[in-house]
Amino acid sequence: MSQTKYSIGVDFGTESGRAVLVKVDNGKEVASSVYEYKDGVIDEFLPDTGIRLEPDWALQNPADYIQTLEKTIPALLKKSGVNARDIIGIGIDFTSCTMMPTDKRGTPLCLMDKYRNNPHSWVKIWKHHAAQPEADKINEVARKRSEKFLARYGGKYSSEWFFSKSLQILNEAPSIYQAADRLIEGADWIVLQLIGEERRNSCTAGYKALWDFDEGFPSPDFFRALDPRLENIVKEKMSQDIYPLGKKAGGLTAEMARLVGLLTGTPVAIGNVDAHVSVPAATIVSPGKMLMVMGTSICHVMVDRELHIVPGVCGIVKEGILPGYYGYEAGQSGVGDIFAWFVENCVPGKYWKEAAGKRVDIHRLLEEKASTLRPGESGLLALDWWNGNRSVLVDVDLSGLLLGCTLETRPEDVYRTLIEATAFGTYKIINTFEENGVRIEELYACGGLPEKNKLLMQIYADITGREIKIAASSQAPALGSAMFGAVAAGRKKGGYDSIMEAARKMAHLKRESFRPDEKNHSVYQGVYAEYEKLHDYFGRGINDVMKQLKSIKMTIRGK
Amino acid sequence: MSQTKYSIGVDFGTESGRAVLVKVDNGKEVASSVYEYKDGVIDEFLPDTGIRLEPDWALQNPADYIQTLEKTIPALLKKSGVNARDIIGIGIDFTSCTMMPTDKRGTPLCLMDKYRNNPHSWVKIWKHHAAQPEADKINEVARKRSEKFLARYGGKYSSEWFFSKSLQILNEAPSIYQAADRLIEGADWIVLQLIGEERRNSCTAGYKALWDFDEGFPSPDFFRALDPRLENIVKEKMSQDIYPLGKKAGGLTAEMARLVGLLTGTPVAIGNVDAHVSVPAATIVSPGKMLMVMGTSICHVMVDRELHIVPGVCGIVKEGILPGYYGYEAGQSGVGDIFAWFVENCVPGKYWKEAAGKRVDIHRLLEEKASTLRPGESGLLALDWWNGNRSVLVDVDLSGLLLGCTLETRPEDVYRTLIEATAFGTYKIINTFEENGVRIEELYACGGLPEKNKLLMQIYADITGREIKIAASSQAPALGSAMFGAVAAGRKKGGYDSIMEAARKMAHLKRESFRPDEKNHSVYQGVYAEYEKLHDYFGRGINDVMKQLKSIKMTIRGK
């Protein structure tokens, strides 16, 4: 057992799948490989057909998932020269809720000629937003029946989640619903492909499918109230055996071993979700530490020993992130997206010229200019709701606001203000957690933004008044999956017996962290007081102008 | 008297002076000439010195006014070939409040070696904003003493006006105040130069210097309460003989006649102000018709038979615009300025490229794109306070707001929303007038914007629900002055006996007007209801976030 051991993590994303091969003793990344999905996000036409999708649809082709395995894992072996014998485990993570209907054997209906022309036979991914009426129905029925579970989801079940999508299939394509022997998450489907057995994971079951460690799924009564045909959805099309994270799901089948070039029986971990699997990859194995997965949006994930009902969270799931803890998830639906919007739509020609002249990226130029400003100096304030508000208000119909403009306002003033607004959004989430009993002492970050924008990270530290530590890996989800792979193998096979142990050895932080400047924090406290006032005024229905304008817009566009 | 007669109007602006020669029988412009002030707006250094001005100062050199006469009037004669004998009168208008200290003979102190190094000896123009503490004092004392006059100025005397500037001279340069035999408006100073006699006009006396047709100037008691040294300012440094508009001030002096190439004794009209003199030039000689002088800002001027106290107006002055009427003035401090700011700071590089490719002006490109949008379609709403709010709220510390942003918001959405916001600002003024008894049936427009931007004019018509007629002359102030010149001459000399008569003959409208679309108006009524809510919430102190942010900004900048 003195030979170096390795594990593999595969991260199934929105546009591509990525695999990494890491050393089990120290988490070092030895090789990585990316497969861009051939069909990408399917949101206009079903592949190889003229069948047009309705607005707000977003699908994937499960064949792309298999291709990811088939292309990337052999590439890891080839690049690294590592022998398959020394690969002790595999872990996987997926975007979520990503769900599909399959037959008894797990074959996706969309891969069968009989069904493939029906859009509902395909994989609905997280950003499929066409099931809002179904989500509304679920919320209405749950409220009417005073279902206790709603509180664990910030009072609102999302259109992105499992039963909204299932109910949409039933409503719009009852024959597909009928034909589906299983409705299954992508994460669990991939594990099924790898080991030949279904092993539903507690993370997606809890965060997306209303499952609770102590209570199980909602009752058949609840589902019947939604639609009589849905009464036995759990018994008929799902599974009530939910497996906790950090366990071995099973061993690689001979067929899959051949396909990817690994040994039959290689341990495979229970499936997981990209944001949640990043928690231990960012060294977090205890309460008080909130991870921000920062990219186009921010996902806030952390654990606590107790259940505290926090209004406006995305979800609170026992065993949903780390064994033995309640996992908390909150989020902001627009962050990097807002800056990209600003760069695309609001940066004047002369700035582009200046950036070209200096041979710097336009984001870098804006960062440079914005970093010369002091907190409070722009006189501007924004509400960061360009893409609605996911937490604390849970309202997609809210919109962005910019206030304090004068004839002296410059692009860098607005750019910095947008960054500050998203940081205030995070601060509001942190404060809401703390007000409801969840202590947050430190912040951790991973994802694209922390590497790209130091000014942004400093502003987040200054506004929240907390140190922010940065995950060393730029592929935190894949690393996290590899860590769970090592845990699936267990200590006897050269891995670890718990994800905590794996985190201590395999997860690392960057040397550099961002510490709050007390003077800046104090100025920002004054601005944040104003942010909170606007947040409540526009967000809690005192002035519903954002909804009124949206409603006028929709009426006009519908004409 | 069958020979064609002509009159001359001279419009003294901010950066230049402009003279036009028009036919008296039909108002047709025969020639025009512009003189760019050599010293322009003096806001950094006193000319020919290293003396730096403080922030918010804005001065002019009165020598530039004389140069305007000397350069432009001979040029009119030369260009047109008209004989000086056929020029029956001259009228002038000025920006206001533009005031200066002079000696007994009317020589500006700044033209004397003894005083010229003191900035307070120069002409303070309308956009000199450094007398805010003095304005605050005036308002405080007037309120304490329950001075009735305050209501005629929307409850607030401005830092731009005559006594704020006078008090600033007294406070900061008592020796200049002492040395000044007169404190005089530019309009009246030019008339003094032309005819050799002081003839203070009722327009600037009323709108800027608290003079009232029935009550005269405020009492010495009031001025003593401001500062004991100010007690006799009116008696000592001004004149209580106020001349109504539409009268002859006197005849051209021999010296001035030689300078400009006209006949000695040519009748000169009482001085006037650019916006107010435009009213008859836009054909308006009766109540119910509001003129919008539209450029970087909007000045709203109209007359009514009665005195109605309208909250938040700039001023209500009997005989201030047309003889026999109360003149009403209101305004928006940022309009064209806001669009210029947007183009400078917010239009992306790709739009500039597109405009260059199509060889169109960037404003034109934005107008084209914005005109494809329907009312309400953008889902956006703005408060047009980029440069504060002049009417109805009279608050320079308010700032701009944009609300309803999403990741789909495009530059043309914002551009159109800014136009709509300024139109809502005008609509708010119209409604405030009407709610307080001043009927407004039609709108009239002159100035730069109506010629440049048809989309803007249509939006104003749609939002206000009123037809907008456009003055035919693109030089309405100069034409108006020429009309007053013809009235100064009188009918016997080939002119007119009243400005009403002159307007009927000399003023014209464009054939094209802008009529409101009822469907658009109805959609805009819905959006305006939201505008009003925000207007009151942020403008009337319910949420003073704009002031809080400004105060934080000023504190940070001061550090």
Side-chain angles (χ1 to χ4, degrees):
Chain A
M1 296 298 282
S2 67
Q3 181 68 33
T4 307
K5 298 297 178 194
Y6 301 86
S7 66
I8 288 175
V10 190
D11 168 41
F12 292 87
T14 303
E15 301 283 353
S16 62
R18 167 185 306 270
V20 299
L21 179 73
V22 304
K23 286 191 180 174
V24 169
D25 59 348
N26 63 7
K28 200 180 157 217
E29 184 181 311
V30 177
S32 76
S33 173
V34 175
Y35 170 73
E36 302 283 338
Y37 299 155
K38 185 172 145 284
D39 285 329
V41 173
I42 302 163
D43 53 9
E44 293 194 63
F45 295 96
L46 281 190
D48 310 319
T49 72
I51 298 168
R52 181 182 272 288
L53 299 177
E54 289 181 30
D56 289 335
W57 276 63
L59 309 176
Q60 279 173 347
N61 185 346
D64 275 327
Y65 309 150
I66 300 298
Q67 283 292 307
T68 297
L69 297 172
E70 198 179 335
K71 303 285 187 200
T72 60
I73 296 180
L76 295 181
L77 297 175
K78 199 173 161 195
K79 280 189 196 174
S80 65
V82 166
N83 193 306
R85 273 176 321 213
D86 295 321
I87 295 172
I88 62 168
I90 312 174
I92 68 101
D93 66 271
F94 231 94
T95 64
S96 176
C97 167
T98 292
M99 61 86 75
M100 70 186 99
T102 75
D103 70 2
K104 265 202 190 72
R105 294 166 47 226
T107 306
L109 297 191
C110 64
L111 299 186
M112 304 179 192
D113 284 344
K114 193 171 163 191
Y115 302 114
R116 63 191 301 273
N117 282 343
N118 190 322
H120 279 291
S121 72
W122 293 69
V123 181
K124 292 185 168 65
I125 67 167
W126 63 275
K127 66 174 172 174
H128 177 89
H129 284 143
Q132 189 61 52
E134 286 77 12
D136 293 345
K137 184 77 191 285
I138 290 170
N139 285 311
E140 185 200 322
V141 170
R143 267 193 295 271
K144 231 181 248 167
R145 294 173 45 91
S146 307
E147 296 284 357
K148 263 172 41 188
F149 59 74
L150 219 47
R152 295 197 315 270
Y153 300 90
K156 228 179 230 177
Y157 191 77
S158 164
S159 73
E160 288 184 9
W161 296 348
F162 194 84
F163 291 118
S164 303
K165 285 166 170 163
S166 301
L167 184 53
Q168 193 197 4
I169 298 175
L170 176 63
N171 283 342
E172 299 178 7
S175 65
I176 295 290
Y177 184 82
Q178 187 79 35
D181 295 315
R182 310 189 209 209
L183 296 168
I184 189 168
E185 274 277 350
D188 296 328
W189 184 80
I190 270 290
V191 168
L192 168 59
Q193 302 308 305
L194 290 167
I195 67 167
E197 306 270 356
E198 183 179 309
R199 295 276 186 270
R200 299 207 177 216
N201 75 83
S202 59
C203 181
T204 57
Y207 283 105
K208 314 297 173 181
L210 294 174
W211 173 83
D212 180 65
F213 185 86
D214 299 308
E215 314 271 337
F217 287 101
S219 66
D221 281 359
F222 167 72
F223 288 111
R224 192 178 54 238
L226 277 178
D227 189 305
R229 296 168 294 173
L230 217 61
E231 177 171 1
N232 295 309
I233 181 172
V234 174
K235 204 161 66 182
E236 288 169 12
K237 296 178 194 291
M238 298 172 65
S239 160
Q240 307 202 46
D241 293 332
I242 305 300
Y243 292 79
L245 305 175
K247 293 290 174 201
K248 176 178 164 181
L252 208 58
T253 62
E255 190 191 351
M256 190 54 79
R258 261 194 313 278
L259 191 76
V260 302
L262 296 179
L263 301 192
T264 302
T266 304
V268 174
I270 294 295
N272 210 328
V273 174
D274 45 11
H276 306 68
V277 78
S278 300
V279 169
T283 76
I284 301 174
V285 290
S286 60
K289 301 159 198 266
M290 176 181 266
L291 174 66
M292 304 184 286
V293 185
M294 305 178 80
T296 54
S297 59
I298 294 184
C299 189
H300 305 80
V301 270
M302 67 178 302
V303 299
D304 200 80
R305 270 180 227 290
E306 311 288 333
L307 171 66
H308 303 279
I309 293 301
V310 181
V313 288
C314 299
I316 309 169
V317 174
K318 188 171 169 184
E319 304 281 327
I321 297 177
L322 293 175
Y325 290 102
Y326 285 89
Y328 288 78
E329 181 190 345
Q332 286 171 268
S333 39
V335 180
D337 267 359
I338 300 178
F339 313 138
W341 168 86
F342 180 77
V343 165
E344 177 82 1
N345 290 285
C346 311
V347 177
K350 59 186 172 183
Y351 279 51
W352 289 93
K353 268 193 204 149
E354 187 181 340
K358 290 182 170 175
R359 291 165 192 256
V360 297
D361 176 79
I362 188 78
H363 284 274
R364 181 72 51 238
L365 182 80
L366 288 167
E367 189 187 345
E368 253 176 41
K369 289 180 185 281
S371 64
T372 65
L373 286 159
R374 285 167 294 172
E377 192 180 352
S378 70
L380 297 172
L381 178 57
L383 289 175
D384 51 314
W385 302 340
W386 263 248
N387 199 19
N389 176 294
R390 188 175 294 159
S391 306
V392 172
L393 299 165
V394 199
D395 194 334
V396 296
D397 292 333
L398 296 175
S399 52
L401 173 149
L402 177 66
L403 181 151
C405 303
T406 73
L407 297 173
E408 282 75 48
T409 300
R410 294 157 306 162
E412 55 268 37
D413 294 315
V414 179
Y415 178 71
R416 185 177 174 116
T417 301
L418 294 176
I419 293 176
E420 291 168 346
T422 64
F424 287 138
T426 282
Y427 193 38
K428 181 75 190 170
I429 290 170
I430 291 173
N431 290 335
T432 307
F433 271 61
E434 291 223 314
E435 286 156 16
N436 291 282
V438 184
R439 193 174 41 91
I440 299 171
E441 281 161 1
E442 284 179 328
L443 298 178
Y444 290 70
C446 66
L449 280 179
E451 310 213 336
K452 281 190 239 156
N453 199 323
K454 285 190 197 308
L455 171 68
L456 176 139
M457 295 312 298
Q458 188 58 51
I459 289 174
Y460 272 63
D462 288 347
I463 284 180
T464 60
R466 284 167 170 85
E467 183 176 358
I468 308 178
K469 299 175 176 176
I470 313 295
S473 170
S474 58
Q475 310 300 342
L479 170 62
S481 286
M483 288 164 60
F484 276 102
V487 175
R491 192 191 296 223
K492 280 187 194 153
K493 296 215 171 145
Y496 300 100
D497 282 345
S498 77
I499 189 67
M500 280 72 167
E501 229 182 281
R504 273 190 291 275
K505 298 285 190 172
M506 297 176 74
H508 305 282
L509 295 172
K510 293 205 165 149
R511 203 176 279 259
E512 183 192 17
S513 72
F514 295 88
R515 289 165 195 276
D517 174 299
E518 273 317 309
K519 264 189 286 179
N520 290 348
H521 180 61
S522 151
V523 174
Y524 276 135
Q525 287 289 85
V527 184
Y528 178 69
E530 302 300 330
Y531 175 92
E532 275 205 304
K533 259 189 251 169
L534 295 175
H535 176 278
D536 287 353
Y537 179 68
F538 290 111
R540 301 202 193 272
I542 305 166
N543 185 334
D544 66 349
V545 53
M546 291 166 182
K547 286 164 195 252
Q548 292 298 332
L549 293 172
K550 183 166 183 180
S551 147
I552 292 172
K553 171 168 85 176
M554 299 316 273
T555 310
I556 297 292
R557 290 199 178 165
K559 270 179 191 165
Chain B
M1 296 296 283
S2 66
Q3 181 69 33
T4 307
K5 298 297 178 195
Y6 300 86
S7 67
I8 288 175
V10 190
D11 168 41
F12 292 86
T14 303
E15 301 283 353
S16 62
R18 167 185 307 269
V20 298
L21 180 73
V22 303
K23 285 191 181 175
V24 169
D25 60 349
N26 63 7
K28 200 181 160 218
E29 185 182 311
V30 177
S32 76
S33 172
V34 174
Y35 170 73
E36 302 282 338
Y37 300 155
K38 184 172 146 286
D39 285 330
V41 173
I42 302 164
D43 53 9
E44 294 194 62
F45 295 96
L46 282 189
D48 311 320
T49 72
I51 298 169
R52 182 183 271 286
L53 299 177
E54 289 181 29
D56 289 335
W57 276 63
L59 309 176
Q60 279 174 348
N61 184 347
D64 274 327
Y65 308 150
I66 300 298
Q67 283 293 306
T68 298
L69 297 172
E70 198 179 336
K71 303 286 186 201
T72 61
I73 295 179
L76 295 182
L77 297 175
K78 199 172 162 197
K79 281 187 194 178
S80 64
V82 166
N83 193 305
R85 272 177 319 213
D86 295 321
I87 295 173
I88 63 169
I90 311 174
I92 68 100
D93 65 272
F94 232 93
T95 65
S96 175
C97 168
T98 292
M99 60 86 73
M100 68 186 102
T102 75
D103 69 4
K104 266 203 189 68
R105 293 165 48 228
T107 306
L109 298 191
C110 63
L111 298 185
M112 303 179 191
D113 284 344
K114 194 171 164 193
Y115 302 114
R116 61 191 304 273
N117 283 342
N118 189 322
H120 278 291
S121 72
W122 292 70
V123 181
K124 292 184 171 63
I125 66 167
W126 63 276
K127 65 174 172 172
H128 176 91
H129 284 144
Q132 189 60 54
E134 285 76 11
D136 293 344
K137 183 79 191 280
I138 290 171
N139 285 310
E140 184 199 323
V141 170
R143 266 193 296 270
K144 231 181 249 168
R145 293 173 46 90
S146 306
E147 295 283 358
K148 262 172 39 188
F149 60 73
L150 218 45
R152 295 198 313 271
Y153 300 91
K156 227 179 232 179
Y157 191 76
S158 164
S159 73
E160 288 184 9
W161 295 348
F162 193 86
F163 291 118
S164 302
K165 286 166 170 163
S166 301
L167 184 52
Q168 193 197 5
I169 298 176
L170 176 62
N171 283 341
E172 298 178 8
S175 65
I176 294 290
Y177 184 82
Q178 186 77 39
D181 294 316
R182 312 190 207 208
L183 295 169
I184 189 167
E185 273 278 351
D188 296 327
W189 184 81
I190 271 290
V191 168
L192 168 59
Q193 302 309 304
L194 290 167
I195 66 168
E197 304 271 355
E198 182 178 308
R199 294 278 186 270
R200 298 205 178 218
N201 75 83
S202 60
C203 181
T204 57
Y207 283 105
K208 315 297 174 183
L210 294 174
W211 172 82
D212 180 64
F213 185 88
D214 298 308
E215 313 272 337
F217 287 101
S219 66
D221 280 359
F222 168 72
F223 287 111
R224 192 177 55 238
L226 276 178
D227 189 305
R229 296 168 294 173
L230 217 61
E231 177 170 3
N232 295 310
I233 181 172
V234 175
K235 204 160 65 182
E236 288 168 12
K237 298 180 193 291
M238 299 172 64
S239 160
Q240 307 201 49
D241 294 333
I242 305 299
Y243 292 79
L245 305 175
K247 294 288 173 202
K248 175 176 164 180
L252 209 57
T253 62
E255 188 191 352
M256 191 53 79
R258 260 195 312 280
L259 191 75
V260 301
L262 296 179
L263 301 192
T264 301
T266 304
V268 175
I270 294 295
N272 210 327
V273 175
D274 45 10
H276 305 69
V277 79
S278 300
V279 170
T283 77
I284 302 174
V285 290
S286 60
K289 301 159 198 264
M290 175 180 266
L291 174 65
M292 303 183 288
V293 185
M294 304 177 82
T296 54
S297 60
I298 294 184
C299 190
H300 304 82
V301 270
M302 66 178 301
V303 299
D304 201 80
R305 270 179 226 290
E306 310 289 332
L307 172 65
H308 303 279
I309 294 299
V310 181
V313 288
C314 300
I316 308 169
V317 174
K318 189 171 168 182
E319 304 280 327
I321 297 177
L322 293 176
Y325 290 102
Y326 285 88
Y328 288 77
E329 180 190 347
Q332 287 171 267
S333 37
V335 180
D337 267 358
I338 300 179
F339 313 139
W341 168 85
F342 179 76
V343 165
E344 177 83 1
N345 289 286
C346 310
V347 177
K350 59 187 173 183
Y351 279 51
W352 289 93
K353 269 193 201 150
E354 187 180 339
K358 289 182 171 175
R359 292 166 191 256
V360 297
D361 177 79
I362 187 75
H363 283 275
R364 181 73 50 240
L365 181 80
L366 287 168
E367 189 187 346
E368 252 177 41
K369 288 180 184 283
S371 64
T372 66
L373 286 160
R374 285 168 294 173
E377 194 182 349
S378 71
L380 297 173
L381 178 57
L383 289 174
D384 51 314
W385 302 340
W386 264 248
N387 200 19
N389 177 295
R390 188 175 294 160
S391 305
V392 170
L393 299 165
V394 199
D395 194 334
V396 295
D397 292 332
L398 296 175
S399 53
L401 173 148
L402 177 66
L403 180 150
C405 303
T406 72
L407 297 172
E408 282 74 49
T409 300
R410 295 157 306 164
E412 55 268 37
D413 294 315
V414 179
Y415 179 71
R416 183 175 176 120
T417 301
L418 293 176
I419 293 175
E420 290 168 348
T422 64
F424 288 137
T426 282
Y427 193 38
K428 181 75 192 169
I429 289 170
I430 291 172
N431 290 336
T432 306
F433 271 61
E434 291 223 312
E435 286 155 17
N436 292 282
V438 184
R439 194 172 41 92
I440 299 171
E441 280 161 3
E442 285 177 329
L443 298 177
Y444 291 71
C446 66
L449 279 181
E451 311 214 337
K452 280 189 241 158
N453 198 325
K454 286 190 195 307
L455 171 67
L456 176 139
M457 295 312 297
Q458 189 56 52
I459 289 174
Y460 271 64
D462 287 347
I463 283 180
T464 62
R466 284 167 169 85
E467 184 176 358
I468 307 177
K469 299 176 176 174
I470 313 295
S473 170
S474 58
Q475 310 298 342
L479 170 63
S481 286
M483 288 164 59
F484 276 102
V487 175
R491 191 191 297 226
K492 281 185 194 155
K493 296 217 170 143
Y496 300 100
D497 281 345
S498 78
I499 189 66
M500 280 71 165
E501 230 181 281
R504 273 190 290 275
K505 299 285 192 172
M506 297 176 76
H508 305 283
L509 295 173
K510 294 207 164 150
R511 202 176 279 258
E512 183 193 19
S513 72
F514 296 87
R515 290 167 194 274
D517 175 297
E518 273 317 309
K519 263 188 287 179
N520 289 349
H521 180 61
S522 152
V523 175
Y524 277 135
Q525 288 288 85
V527 183
Y528 178 69
E530 302 299 329
Y531 175 92
E532 275 206 303
K533 259 189 252 171
L534 294 175
H535 176 279
D536 287 355
Y537 179 68
F538 290 110
R540 302 203 193 271
I542 306 167
N543 184 335
D544 66 350
V545 53
M546 291 166 181
K547 287 165 195 249
Q548 292 298 332
L549 292 173
K550 183 166 183 179
S551 146
I552 292 171
K553 172 167 86 176
M554 300 316 273
T555 310
I556 297 292
R557 289 200 178 164
K559 271 181 191 165

